[in-house]
Amino acid sequence: MIKQTFRHWLRRIIVWATAPEATRRDFSRDLFAYPMLNALVEDAAMALGPQQRPPYTWGMAHAAYLAKNLGIARITAIELGVAGGNGLIALDRTAVWLEQALGVSIDVVGFDSGEGLPKPEDHRDLPNLWAQGDFAMDEQALRAQLQRAQLHLGLVEDTIPEFLASDHAPIGFISFDLDLYSSTIPALALLEASPDRILPRVQCYFDDILGFTFADFNGERLAIREFNAAHDRRKISQIYGARFYVPAHYASANWTEKLFLAHILDHPRYNDYDGLVRNPRLDIDRPNTPR
Ligand SMILES: C[S@@+](CC[C@H](N)C(=O)[O-])C[C@H]1O[C@@H](n2cnc3c(N)ncnc32)[C@H](O)[C@@H]1O
């Protein structure tokens, strides 16, 4: 116990002492929220090490910050496609950390078949890359490592409608990593949630869109195009130039091209002030960098 407490405080002192200058400075005079949010991303990376993923932290930090500015106390962060669970564990740990930093509670939910990929149906599922049963899960081993995350096992075609009908906190962040077009289509139903169950803008991460044989007419990119074509008031758009808005040393990381926003245009709060441009005329409570 004493040893654990000593380790805990030693770690905190190291994190503080080695934190980049930006994380220790006063952000209250910045025009934009990006430096403060980036400092959070860097602090989380330092504190959690390999148990976090920078794109997840970035997306969750922005989601929680939007919620904070809208006065929403609790949000949901989702991973679609869990497999071994490294991504869900990252969401799990980061949610706890960000909650302390920003004061917004974050529920974490993972969706997976539990049995690896379903059978690719046709060329849209890229059977040249994926096969049935790829990425199986060791459920027991994974559950033993989760702190708060809820695991919904079964095909997303079944589990997502159940989730949408449940009493969940507004969706703020989604990582799409189901690999298949035919799985991503039903998963996108999450973005049809009623306005009280979703933030007006949802941070989305699409894992399978760069390199290999991914294209506009297969996989996640095709699913996004079809979703946009089918919805007048809900649209998914890449965050253009995201690499200019993440911490500088991540600027050439490929994940900066995988960051999207779902715009819930019919959300009654879509046009409310979101805190990204920190207008000094508005008396908005500015979050502190956590220590
Ligand atoms: C690449 S893995 C996910 C990896 C994980 N996100 C990570 O970063 O550690 C893709 C997962 O999607 C799941 N999956 C694909 N289609 C699915 C569907 N229709 N329903 C449920 N799970 C599905 C598979 O079980 C597989 O484990």
Side-chain angles (χ1 to χ4, degrees):
M1 181 66 187
I2 294 173
K3 222 170 163 184
Q4 261 181 347
T5 312
F6 175 73
R7 275 210 202 108
H8 170 81
W9 282 106
L10 182 63
R11 195 185 171 101
R12 293 206 63 160
I13 290 165
I14 291 170
V15 167
W16 182 84
T18 56
E21 184 58 29
T23 65
R24 290 197 292 269
R25 76 174 172 83
D26 174 18
F27 297 99
S28 62
R29 288 172 193 277
D30 287 347
L31 179 57
F32 303 115
Y34 287 101
M36 182 274 296
L37 291 168
N38 283 343
L40 284 186
V41 173
E42 304 212 79
D43 271 2
M46 208 98 63
L48 301 174
Q51 289 204 315
Q52 53 81 51
R53 286 184 178 177
Y56 284 15
T57 312
W58 196 88
M60 286 169 86
H62 275 260
Y65 183 68
L66 172 60
K68 187 178 180 75
N69 278 278
L70 296 178
I72 294 170
R74 186 175 210 96
I75 61 170
T76 304
I78 295 173
E79 186 178 55
L80 294 159
V82 173
N86 289 341
L88 191 63
I89 291 167
L91 272 192
D92 196 53
R93 304 294 189 270
T94 308
V96 175
W97 195 89
L98 279 174
E99 196 167 291
Q100 288 170 1
L102 287 167
V104 173
S105 301
I106 306 176
D107 296 337
V108 176
V109 182
F111 290 92
D112 199 280
S113 69
E115 296 168 358
L117 293 182
K119 193 171 189 302
E121 289 174 10
D122 57 36
H123 74 274
R124 295 171 296 180
D125 283 338
L126 297 124
N128 55 310
L129 297 177
W130 315 125
Q132 185 171 17
D134 284 353
F135 310 111
M137 166 190 290
D138 181 341
E139 184 189 340
Q140 230 183 336
L142 174 56
R143 284 195 191 276
Q145 293 186 72
L146 298 177
Q147 290 173 350
R148 68 170 55 185
Q150 298 289 315
L151 199 49
H152 292 244
L153 294 185
L155 292 175
V156 291
E157 293 84 330
D158 303 320
T159 52
I160 285 184
E162 282 165 20
F163 174 76
L164 285 171
S166 73
D167 182 23
H168 63 85
I171 299 167
F173 171 86
I174 308 175
S175 166
F176 291 86
D177 193 11
L178 294 162
D179 297 355
L180 306 182
Y181 158 85
S182 60
S183 299
T184 307
I185 287 284
L188 284 167
L190 285 170
L191 298 176
E192 293 169 351
S194 63
D196 55 327
R197 301 273 177 213
I198 195 163
L199 293 188
R201 280 176 285 283
V202 180
Q203 297 287 335
C204 296
Y205 170 83
F206 286 91
D207 192 59
D208 302 298
I209 57 172
L210 299 181
F212 299 94
T213 49
F214 302 130
D216 291 335
F217 48 83
N218 61 32
E220 292 171 353
R221 285 191 187 271
L222 177 62
I224 293 170
R225 280 160 64 108
E226 290 185 0
F227 180 90
N228 284 340
H231 295 80
D232 282 340
R233 306 285 292 152
R234 304 217 169 179
K235 299 285 184 187
I236 304 165
S237 178
Q238 192 175 15
I239 301 177
Y240 295 117
R243 71 191 184 90
F244 301 113
Y245 297 92
V246 300
H249 65 272
Y250 292 130
S252 57
N254 76 5
W255 59 260
T256 60
E257 293 195 24
K258 300 180 176 183
L259 303 176
F260 286 64
L261 266 183
H263 296 260
I264 311 303
L265 300 172
D266 61 343
H267 198 293
R269 305 206 59 192
Y270 185 80
N271 295 328
D272 285 7
Y273 175 69
D274 62 9
L276 280 180
V277 178
R278 307 180 79 190
N279 188 337
R281 285 169 303 173
L282 295 171
D283 186 20
I284 299 290
D285 177 31
R286 291 163 182 181
N288 294 315
T289 306
R291 289 267 65 97

